[in-house]
Amino acid sequence: MIVKLLGSQLEDYKRKSLVGHWVLVEDSFEDLQKENDESSKQDRRCKERNISTKFTPENVTVRPGSAEGFLDISGGGYLHAEGELFDGEPFDRVSTVNADENLLRLESFYTFKSVRRLSLRRNRLTSVRPIDGDLAETLIRLDVSENKLNSDDIYRLSASKLEQLYMLANNLTDIPESITNCHCFLLLKLLDLSDNYLSCPKTFYMLSTLYNLQVLIMSNNRISCIPYLIMKQEADDSNGDDQIETYQDEADAENNTSDDTKETLYQILHTPFVSLNTINLSNNLIAHNSSVLPLICWPSLKNVILTANTISLKKNLMEFKKLSSTLSAFNIKTKR
C-alpha cells in the first residue's frame, strides 16, 4: 500500500500512521524552497557564532527595561580583551551575566561593579585567577562548569565571597588540602562538584572544614564510601576497633578503596560539616549500608540522596530500608 502525502500533511501522518505502510512524500516546490531558505539561515547563524569578537564595551549591548540588568552574551564568540573598562551606564546596573560558550575569563568581568551572578560554562578555561577588582566585592554565584579546571583552581576561588559555586564536569580527581585553611570559602553555602572523577574518601575530610556549607552535590562521581570524621579527642577515647583504620595520607586511602566494606577514619580538630543539611550522592558506587553510616556524625545533616547507587537498586531494597531506618533515628531523610 502506497500513500501519497504533501509535505504539509507529513507530520500529521506520522502521528497516525500504521506500522508496515510505505509513505511517498511529494513536496511542493514552495515547501522545498522554504526548507532551503531556513537551512541557509541556520548556516549563516552558525558561521556568525564562530566569529571571534573582542569583549569590549563597544561590542556589547545590555537589554534595557529591567531594574536588575541582565547581560546575555552566550554563544556570541567573544574573546577576552586585556585592559577593558566596563564602567558607567548601562554596565553598572548589570547584576546577572550569562557568558556561556565563549572564550572569556573571570578577568573579563573584573570592572563590572554590580555583577552578583556569572556563568562561564564551556569557555575552554584551563585555569582561573583569584576573583579580583569590583567583581570580588559583589559576586556571590559562579558557574564554571564544563571547562578544564583542576583542583588548584578550587583554592584560587576560595578567598572570594561566593555563596554558590558550580564546578560540574571539569574532570576533577581530588580536592586541594589547602582549602582546609580557616580563611577559605567563608560564605559558601552551595557547592556542586557533579560529573567529575572524585573517589578518594579524603575528599570529604577536605570539604568538612567549610563551616557555612549547607548543600553539597556530588552526583555522578566515583564515590564508594564516606569516611568517619572523628574529632581527635573522641578518637583518643575510642576503643580502637580493629575494623576501622586511620589513614594519614591520600595514597593510603586510595590503596584501600577496593574493599567496599572497609571503614575509613580521619582524625580531625574541628566539627565536620557543621552547617551541611543536604548531600546529593546520586549515581556513585555506594553498595553497602556501612559505606554511608558515617553520615550520622555530621551534626546538621537532614537529607541524603542516594539515587542510582547499587544500594538503592530494587534487589537491595531490604538493605536500603534498614539504612533508611537507621538514618531516620538521627533525623536524616534518605531518598533512593
Side-chain angles (χ1 to χ4, degrees):
M1 177 179 180
I2 298 177
V3 181
K4 283 191 176 183
L5 294 177
L6 294 175
S8 58
Q9 299 172 299
L10 178 60
E11 291 304 320
D12 184 59
Y13 183 83
K14 284 180 178 178
R15 290 192 295 269
K16 300 178 181 179
S17 61
L18 298 175
V19 176
H21 287 194
W22 288 83
V23 178
L24 179 63
V25 179
E26 189 172 87
D27 287 314
S28 66
F29 176 79
E30 291 79 12
D31 289 333
L32 291 173
Q33 187 64 42
K34 184 178 179 181
E35 290 177 7
N36 288 335
D37 291 342
E38 288 295 324
S39 178
S40 298
K41 289 179 181 177
Q42 290 178 359
D43 290 341
R44 283 197 297 272
R45 283 196 292 268
C46 289
K47 290 178 181 178
E48 290 170 358
R49 190 180 300 129
N50 292 328
I51 295 174
S52 295
T53 304
K54 286 189 175 181
F55 188 60
T56 64
E58 295 77 22
N59 294 330
V60 177
T61 301
V62 180
R63 294 177 183 175
S66 59
E68 286 194 351
F70 177 72
L71 178 59
D72 186 357
I73 53 173
S74 57
Y78 286 102
L79 274 171
H80 172 73
E82 292 288 348
E84 293 296 326
L85 296 175
F86 289 83
D87 55 357
E89 284 291 331
F91 301 108
D92 283 356
R93 61 182 173 84
V94 171
S95 64
T96 302
V97 178
N98 180 358
D100 298 346
E101 298 183 273
N102 287 286
L103 293 173
L104 297 174
R105 311 173 193 167
L106 272 173
E107 305 95 275
S108 305
F109 301 91
Y110 278 1
T111 59
F112 281 74
K113 289 182 167 51
S114 305
V115 171
R116 293 169 59 80
R117 295 169 288 274
L118 172 61
S119 181
L120 284 168
R121 283 177 173 249
R122 297 182 294 280
N123 270 261
R124 304 184 190 179
L125 296 171
T126 56
S127 66
V128 293
R129 294 180 183 175
I131 302 173
D132 203 352
D134 295 314
L135 194 65
E137 298 301 317
T138 60
L139 190 66
I140 62 172
R141 184 188 189 278
L142 176 63
D143 190 342
V144 286
S145 302
E146 299 177 81
N147 285 291
K148 297 180 180 179
L149 302 179
N150 57 56
S151 60
D152 291 333
D153 295 307
I154 299 177
Y155 178 69
R156 293 189 186 103
L157 295 172
S158 66
S160 65
K161 296 182 178 180
L162 288 175
E163 295 181 10
Q164 299 179 13
L165 176 59
Y166 299 82
M167 295 189 72
L168 296 78
N170 272 282
N171 296 326
L172 298 173
T173 58
D174 60 358
I175 302 296
E177 190 163 359
S178 50
I179 71 163
T180 59
N181 185 299
C182 61
H183 301 295
C184 293
F185 289 122
L186 295 181
L187 302 177
L188 193 67
K189 297 179 181 178
L190 183 150
L191 178 60
D192 193 340
L193 297 172
S194 300
D195 301 300
N196 284 292
Y197 295 93
L198 299 169
S199 61
C200 180
K202 197 171 185 179
T203 296
F204 296 96
Y205 163 68
M206 302 302 184
L207 297 174
S208 68
T209 58
L210 305 182
Y211 66 85
N212 266 321
L213 190 65
Q214 298 176 13
V215 178
L216 177 60
I217 306 173
M218 302 191 71
S219 58
N220 299 299
N221 277 280
R222 297 177 176 179
I223 297 164
S224 60
C225 69
I226 309 295
Y228 280 94
L229 303 174
I230 306 297
M231 295 186 68
K232 194 173 189 309
Q233 183 177 357
E234 296 177 9
D236 292 342
D237 293 339
S238 67
N239 58 12
D241 192 331
D242 292 336
Q243 292 181 329
I244 298 180
E245 297 186 22
T246 302
Y247 299 114
Q248 301 300 326
D249 55 50
E250 188 170 357
D252 288 339
E254 288 178 345
N255 290 335
N256 286 275
T257 54
S258 59
D259 185 351
D260 291 338
T261 61
K262 183 170 288 186
E263 296 173 352
T264 305
L265 182 149
Y266 291 101
Q267 295 184 13
I268 58 179
L269 300 176
H270 59 275
T271 303
F273 293 108
V274 66
S275 300
L276 191 73
N277 60 63
T278 299
I279 184 169
N280 186 339
L281 294 167
S282 60
N283 201 22
N284 276 283
L285 305 175
I286 298 170
H288 303 282
N289 286 359
S290 58
S291 300
V292 289
L293 282 180
L295 293 174
I296 64 177
C297 299
W298 301 1
S300 300
L301 193 64
K302 300 299 179 187
N303 301 287
V304 179
I305 301 172
L306 293 169
T307 307
N309 280 276
T310 302
I311 195 173
S312 61
L313 297 178
K314 189 175 181 179
K315 65 179 182 179
N316 296 322
L317 183 58
M318 292 302 296
E319 188 173 2
F320 184 87
K321 285 184 175 180
K322 291 178 182 177
L323 172 64
S324 181
S325 177
T326 300
L327 294 181
S328 65
F330 294 87
N331 298 315
I332 301 174
K333 295 181 179 179
T334 312
K335 180 180 179 182
R336 66 184 285 265

